[in-house]
Amino acid sequence: MNGWQQLSPSTYHRLPMGVAFGISDTGTVRSSNQDNLLIAPELGLLAVADGMGGHQGGEVASAEALRLLAGYLAAHRPQGDPDATWTGPAAAARDLLQHALLEVNANLYAANNAAGHSDGMGMGTTLTGLWQPAPASPLLVFHVGDSRLYRYRDGQLAQLTRDQTMYQQALDMGAAEPLPPKNLLLQAMGPSPAVQPDVQAYAALPGDLYLLCTDGLHGPCSPGAIAAALSVAHADSLHTVCASLVDMAKHDGSRDNITALLLHIPA
């Protein structure tokens, strides 16, 4: 698979920018887990994907999206001196990442076409993550759908992604009640031939803590509760914090699969 492998999430992984740990749980209601997560230390890549399309379809879409993304970045990233390659605000890396995400969507869409699904139908997945293309370069945050990336810094929680949902769009437009259901996506990877990923660059600071999660976690849990759980995290307790986040989502009534992936930047 182009020199990379999807590593077990249930162990600590050391990346160039920090330490990562993740958990994906089926939850209390569903019979299968359509969430998947990726930790690829050699690429400096972390991502979560929440599949849709029923049993098999959603599982396949989320796993394949992660496989395709990591494979593309492994095969196409420039070699040599990183300081000579990644200049400016990660412009070249941003372009490469955009191409990778479009390629992922094209492959999933082609699979849907081959299965006889019309546009807007078939399997699909959210895809949210971060990539540090070279040591000390900015973190590139990429996002399609309604999984989220949070940053916990100096006691403050910030949501670095914006849900691409009809509900969020209605909020942004100041629409009156009743608002659309929260799970109606404006776009996802796979169902449509065109997708517009959101890619942003952020500087990582010592002590930062990043949380990637699916809506099975952020849906039932308030930002305040998530911040409180993250406030006790340190490099050796990521597994405990991930488990507490999953347990909190279950306690708060999550009816979906639950995925939490943490990255700690050492101080």
Side-chain angles (χ1 to χ4, degrees), residues 117-167:
H117 297 296
S118 57
D119 284 8
M121 305 299 291
M123 66 177 179
T125 184
T126 70
L127 184 58
T128 301
L130 58 86
W131 179 42
Q132 187 181 49
S137 72
L139 299 180
L140 293 181
V141 173
F142 54 92
H143 175 61
V144 173
D146 67 348
S147 297
R148 289 183 181 176
L149 174 65
Y150 293 98
R151 180 187 65 208
Y152 188 76
R153 173 185 290 173
D154 296 331
Q156 299 296 317
L157 185 71
Q159 183 181 329
L160 300 187
T161 56
R162 193 164 191 81
D163 296 347
Q164 297 172 350
T165 61
M166 293 184 67
Y167 176 83

Side-chain angles (χ1 to χ4, degrees), residues 154-252:
D154 296 331
Q156 299 296 317
L157 185 71
Q159 183 181 329
L160 300 187
T161 56
R162 193 164 191 81
D163 296 347
Q164 297 172 350
T165 61
M166 293 184 67
Y167 176 83
Q168 185 63 55
Q169 184 181 64
L171 286 180
D172 294 343
M173 295 174 62
E177 299 283 353
L179 297 176
K182 292 184 177 182
N183 62 348
L184 294 180
L185 297 179
L186 292 173
Q187 64 171 359
M189 306 293 280
S192 300
V195 68
Q196 295 181 316
D198 183 21
V199 178
Q200 303 291 334
Y202 292 92
L205 297 182
D208 279 355
L209 182 66
Y210 294 88
L211 167 65
L212 283 159
C213 63
T214 56
D215 65 340
L217 173 57
H218 70 70
C221 301
S222 70
I226 292 173
L230 298 182
S231 68
V232 300
H234 52 81
D236 296 326
S237 69
L238 301 185
H239 64 293
T240 302
V241 176
C242 280
S244 69
L245 287 166
V246 170
D247 289 343
M248 181 172 66
K250 292 179 180 179
H251 179 269
D252 290 349

Side-chain angles (χ1 to χ4, degrees), residues 27-47:
T28 61
V29 175
R30 303 214 172 179
S31 60
S32 64
N33 192 351
Q34 297 182 58
D35 287 0
N36 271 289
L37 65 86
L38 172 72
I39 303 173
E42 68 279 20
L43 294 177
L45 176 67
L46 301 172

Side-chain angles (χ1 to χ4, degrees), residues 1-4 43 67-80 85-86 92-93 95-101 103-104 107 131 133:
M1 286 184 276
N2 294 313
W4 73 277
L43 294 177
R67 186 191 71 82
L68 289 166
L69 175 63
Y72 189 97
L73 293 178
H76 293 86
R77 62 177 179 170
Q79 303 297 315
T85 302
W86 309 108
D95 289 343
L96 176 59
L97 181 55
Q98 285 277 9
H99 285 300
L101 294 167
E103 185 71 12
V104 170
N107 276 271
W131 179 42

Side-chain angles (χ1 to χ4, degrees), residues 6-90:
Q6 185 169 345
L7 297 174
S8 168
S10 298
T11 55
Y12 280 84
H13 299 286
R14 296 198 173 276
L15 292 86
M17 63 282 210
V19 179
F21 182 92
I23 293 176
S24 189
D25 191 281
T26 302
T28 61
V29 175
R30 303 214 172 179
S31 60
S32 64
N33 192 351
Q34 297 182 58
D35 287 0
N36 271 289
L37 65 86
L38 172 72
I39 303 173
E42 68 279 20
L43 294 177
L45 176 67
L46 301 172
V48 298
D50 181 355
M52 61 205 73
H55 180 55
Q56 294 300 317
E59 293 177 29
V60 170
S62 59
E64 187 70 356
L66 296 174
R67 186 191 71 82
L68 289 166
L69 175 63
Y72 189 97
L73 293 178
H76 293 86
R77 62 177 179 170
Q79 303 297 315
D81 179 7
D83 293 330
T85 302
W86 309 108
T87 58

